[in-house]
Amino acid sequence: MKLYNIKHLALAFGAALTIASCSDDDNGDMQMEPEMTDFSGTYTQVDHMGRPGINTVLSYDVEGQASVKDAQNVTVPSEMGAMFQAGFEARLEQYHDVYANLLGADPADVNYENNILGLDAATLTGYLAADVLEVAPNLPTTYFNPGTDNDGDGRVLVPDGDEVALTGRLITDDVIDVSLILLFGGEEGDRFSGQDTDGDGTADLPRLTSDGVSLTATVSTDFPFLGTPEN
């Protein structure tokens, strides 16, 4: 019986110390030391994310040679145009040659066509070679907005003078589809969109202007722009 009482007395004493310690914390008597993060060491830049997918699509690595993709990822933006524009343009033309062969056409007859922004191949790949996200303080923020049908011809995806593009990026912008449209869509944005040219119900042209993936999540207009979770 005596041992039993001693055990309970020890437990009660320990509980009292715990309560007293909590009380001291609540009164602000105990100072917590801030946890410091150690940023020492050597770090390596491995990727740019200004324009997702561009490096993947337009860089071409050759086995046994230094990786162009890796080089583009670690190059400062001010040097990207001079280093990668020509290679990007050549790669873009190679894609058109491949599609020409698949269509049974002469590759010389299937070339890049100035896009919906009126940009030729050299100018477009010059923009895309610099993997940065520009900001235009006096224009709407968007990866691409086709504007309106200013000339009344019933077509919006044609340069009418009121397009806005590459001035930033909204949460809802489909940057992959926009990039594909700029690369393969031609003057009206739908040059290679899986058209059925002979009306037999089967696509005769490749679908190159969309990855087929749309925005499925809901987004908020307030930071951090997270919408209601979906079931």
Side-chain angles (χ1 to χ4, degrees):
M1 179 65 71
K2 186 175 182 180
L3 181 60
Y4 178 84
N5 290 335
I6 291 175
K7 284 183 177 179
H8 280 72
L9 181 61
L11 289 173
F13 184 72
L17 288 177
T18 301
I19 294 172
S21 298
C22 292
S23 177
D24 287 343
D25 287 346
D26 292 340
N27 291 333
D29 295 330
M30 180 177 290
Q31 298 295 322
M32 299 294 293
E33 291 293 330
E35 183 177 346
M36 304 301 293
T37 302
D38 183 7
F39 289 105
S40 62
T42 302
Y43 296 87
T44 302
Q45 179 175 305
V46 296
D47 199 5
H48 286 279
M49 289 300 293
R51 296 197 177 100
I54 295 300
N55 187 16
T56 300
V57 171
L58 295 179
S59 290
Y60 180 63
D61 286 350
V62 177
E63 186 175 355
Q65 298 183 14
S67 171
V68 177
K69 288 182 172 63
D70 289 347
Q72 207 263 359
N73 278 330
V74 298
T75 300
V76 296
S78 60
E79 299 176 0
M80 285 179 171
M83 293 183 64
F84 303 106
Q85 181 277 323
F88 278 18
E89 183 177 358
R91 186 64 167 165
L92 180 58
E93 186 55 43
Q94 287 176 357
Y95 279 125
H96 285 81
D97 290 346
V98 169
Y99 303 138
N101 290 328
L102 291 174
L103 296 171
D106 186 343
D109 296 331
V110 182
N111 299 302
Y112 170 86
E113 183 180 279
N114 286 6
N115 63 22
I116 51 179
L117 299 179
L119 303 178
D120 60 24
T123 304
L124 174 63
T125 51
Y127 276 122
L128 298 181
D131 193 359
V132 295
L133 192 63
E134 292 95 343
V135 175
N138 298 319
L139 290 173
T141 296
T142 181
Y143 206 68
F144 175 70
N145 185 326
T148 57
D149 180 16
N150 273 350
D151 57 11
D153 65 356
R155 299 176 299 172
V156 175
L157 287 178
V158 178
D160 283 338
D162 62 347
E163 301 81 15
V164 179
L166 306 179
T167 58
R169 191 167 77 201
L170 296 175
I171 294 290
T172 53
D173 284 343
D174 192 333
V175 297
I176 300 299
D177 276 12
V178 169
S179 297
L180 292 174
I181 289 171
L182 294 178
L183 291 168
F184 303 111
E187 293 180 351
E188 299 187 19
D190 61 353
R191 185 184 184 196
F192 292 112
S193 296
Q195 291 93 330
D196 175 14
T197 58
D198 57 12
D200 65 354
T202 302
D204 298 297
L205 295 180
R207 184 186 184 190
L208 308 179
T209 53
S210 175
D211 61 0
V213 179
S214 60
L215 180 68
T216 58
T218 57
V219 295
S220 169
T221 57
D222 300 319
F223 183 84
F225 311 112
L226 299 177
T228 303
E230 298 183 1
N231 296 326

